């Protein structure tokens, strides 16, 4: 059996952020308004406290692997990503090993990609088998299970744009990587969902643009499960005519009243999931819903 902790969308920040003049002319200025005046800051005002409790969960619950599906930061500053990595224990040898992919907030600007803010902060969680020299995708075997990190995030310059894209070149590397993997369930870890609740496509300015291509490539590669975040409430999608394998959204792990993460046990091809929800009164995570999936 393999035991995984899946968490996402913690949206931590730091002080000082490291503002530069150029940041007043890119998406960060609008992001700051959203945090300061439009409610995002209030929704994540306890994020650092919850992250500390989350780290204690990782240390005490016997996980084999931690799985993070992106959006560690609020506006993609290097200081935020370093702070988030420190708070959740990236590189802490007393914790289980981790695997991480970036979210759209982590790749908020082109500079964040060029200077590899996320990859530098989360370097200990970026080890794996690759094809070529590109960071993504990469694969890591945990017990009998393959975890495959796929980057679906990109910077967006319009303030209302929160879309993602995997891209043809990464999907080509993904196919080649999968051909090199041996037997075992294959689980993709990515930030964006393929589909939202009800097996429907996300709104135009929030979706994964090439979800069709990503889905078809994953099916071709024998993927058994797609783990993601991006949407801040959790849901599970079983196999359907437009979805050849199940997907699980763990939601935001630190947003007030939606905070939680998933504890998965994979026995053969049977996944048993427990949602652990943060209880503000006791300052602890408690068991909530349970679900089961047969991985195709």
């Amino acid at each position: 059996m393999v035991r995984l902790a899946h968490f996402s969308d913690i949206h931590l920040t730091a002080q000082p952020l490291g503002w530069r003049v150029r940041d007043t002319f890119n998406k960060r200025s609008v992001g700051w308004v959203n945090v300061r005046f439009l409610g995002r800051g209030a929704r994540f005002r306890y994020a650092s406290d919850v992250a500390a409790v989350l780290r204690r969960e990782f240390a005490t619950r016997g996980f084999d692997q931690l799985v993070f599906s992106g959006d560690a930061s609020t506006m993609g500053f290097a200081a935020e990503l370093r702070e988030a990595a420190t708070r959740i224990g990236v590189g802490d040898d007393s914790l289980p090993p981790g695997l991480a992919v970036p979210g759209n907030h982590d790749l908020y600007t082109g500079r964040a990609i060029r200077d590899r803010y996320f990859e530098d902060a989360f370097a200990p969680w970026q080890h794996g088998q690759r094809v070529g020299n590109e960071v993504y995708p990469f694969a890591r075997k945990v017990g009998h299970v393959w975890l495959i990190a796929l980057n679906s995030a990109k910077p967006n310059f319009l303030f209302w744009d929160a879309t993602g894209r995997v891209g043809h070149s990464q999907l080509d590397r993904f196919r080649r990587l999968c051909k090199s993997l041996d037997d075992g369930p294959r689980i993709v870890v990515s930030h964006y969902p393929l589909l939202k609740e009800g097996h429907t496509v996300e709104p135009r300015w929030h979706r994964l643009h090439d979800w069709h291509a990503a889905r078809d490539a994953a099916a071709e590669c024998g993927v058994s499960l797609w783990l993601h975040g991006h949407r801040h409430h959790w849901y599970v999608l079983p196999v359907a005519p437009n979805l050849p394998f199940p997907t699980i959204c763990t939601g935001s792990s630190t947003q007030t009243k939606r905070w939680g993460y998933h504890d998965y046990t994979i026995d053969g091809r049977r996944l048993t999931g427990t949602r652990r929800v943060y209880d503000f009164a006791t300052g602890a995570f408690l068991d909530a819903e349970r679900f089961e999936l047969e991985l195709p």
Side-chain angles (χ1 to χ4, degrees):
M1 292 190 294
V2 171
R3 187 102 174 273
L4 309 176
H6 177 204
F7 68 110
S8 193
D9 293 79
I10 57 177
H11 289 291
L12 297 180
T13 190
Q15 292 296 335
L17 285 170
W19 282 94
R20 301 184 183 189
V21 173
R22 66 171 65 93
D23 293 320
T24 62
F25 301 101
N26 62 33
K27 193 173 179 178
R28 282 181 175 144
S29 60
V30 178
W32 179 84
V33 171
N34 190 15
V35 170
R36 188 70 180 269
F37 300 110
L38 300 182
R40 177 172 283 273
R43 292 193 293 274
F44 288 92
R45 63 187 178 274
Y46 301 114
S48 292
D49 295 335
V50 179
V53 182
L54 195 62
R55 180 171 175 166
R56 292 201 295 270
E57 290 272 299
F58 297 158
T60 58
R61 288 185 57 81
F63 294 113
D64 298 304
Q65 183 81 31
L66 309 179
V67 177
F68 178 60
S69 50
D71 275 359
S73 66
T74 300
M75 291 179 287
F77 283 98
E80 289 181 319
L81 288 160
R82 290 193 298 266
E83 180 74 9
T86 298
R87 285 189 176 273
I88 61 177
V90 175
D92 184 344
D93 292 338
S94 69
L95 299 180
L99 179 145
V101 295
N104 55 302
H105 280 259
D106 304 322
L107 306 185
Y108 216 55
T109 65
R111 186 181 182 88
I113 293 180
R114 290 193 302 272
D115 291 351
R116 299 167 57 95
Y117 292 163
F118 183 86
E119 287 74 23
D120 286 350
F122 283 80
W125 289 12
Q126 298 261 295
H127 297 299
Q129 184 173 327
R130 291 178 168 86
V131 171
N133 296 322
E134 296 293 331
V135 176
Y136 306 104
F138 64 89
R140 182 184 305 167
K141 198 165 193 182
V142 183
H144 68 294
V145 174
W146 280 104
L147 297 176
I148 306 172
L150 196 67
N151 177 24
S152 54
K154 64 181 181 68
N156 296 304
F157 302 101
L158 300 175
F159 70 85
W160 60 82
D161 188 353
T163 56
R165 185 184 301 276
V166 178
H168 294 297
S169 59
Q170 188 181 180
L171 287 177
D172 177 64
R173 294 193 302 275
F174 174 57
R175 291 185 178 94
R176 287 187 287 145
L177 175 63
C178 287
K179 288 179 181 179
S180 70
L181 307 182
D182 59 20
D183 292 340
R186 298 176 177 185
I187 299 176
V188 165
V189 180
S190 199
H191 182 63
Y192 280 80
L194 297 173
L195 298 168
K196 67 174 186 174
E197 305 92 317
H199 292 84
T200 57
V201 182
E202 279 207 283
R204 178 181 178 183
W205 296 107
H206 204 254
R207 71 179 59 164
L208 182 65
H209 280 307
D210 53 354
W211 74 269
H212 276 107
R215 177 201 62 187
D216 294 348
E220 177 186 334
C221 291
V223 165
S224 300
L225 178 66
W226 183 288
L227 300 179
H228 67 90
H230 192 51
R231 297 179 68 80
H232 285 190
H233 52 278
W234 79 281
Y235 60 94
V236 178
L237 295 183
V239 172
N242 63 346
L243 191 66
F245 45 80
T247 68
I248 302 176
C249 178
T250 194
S252 170
S253 296
T254 60
Q255 181 174 329
T256 302
K257 297 183 179 179
R258 289 185 174 180
W259 35 39
Y261 77 97
H262 289 165
D263 178 337
Y264 304 134
T265 298
I266 303 174
D267 186 356
R269 288 188 172 268
R270 188 71 176 175
L271 180 147
T272 301
T274 301
R275 179 153 184 84
R276 298 271 294 170
V277 176
Y278 183 71
D279 179 63
F280 186 78
T282 61
F285 281 90
L286 307 175
D287 283 355
E289 292 88 348
R290 289 175 60 87
F291 52 92
E292 292 188 352
L293 290 172
E294 193 69 31
L295 303 183

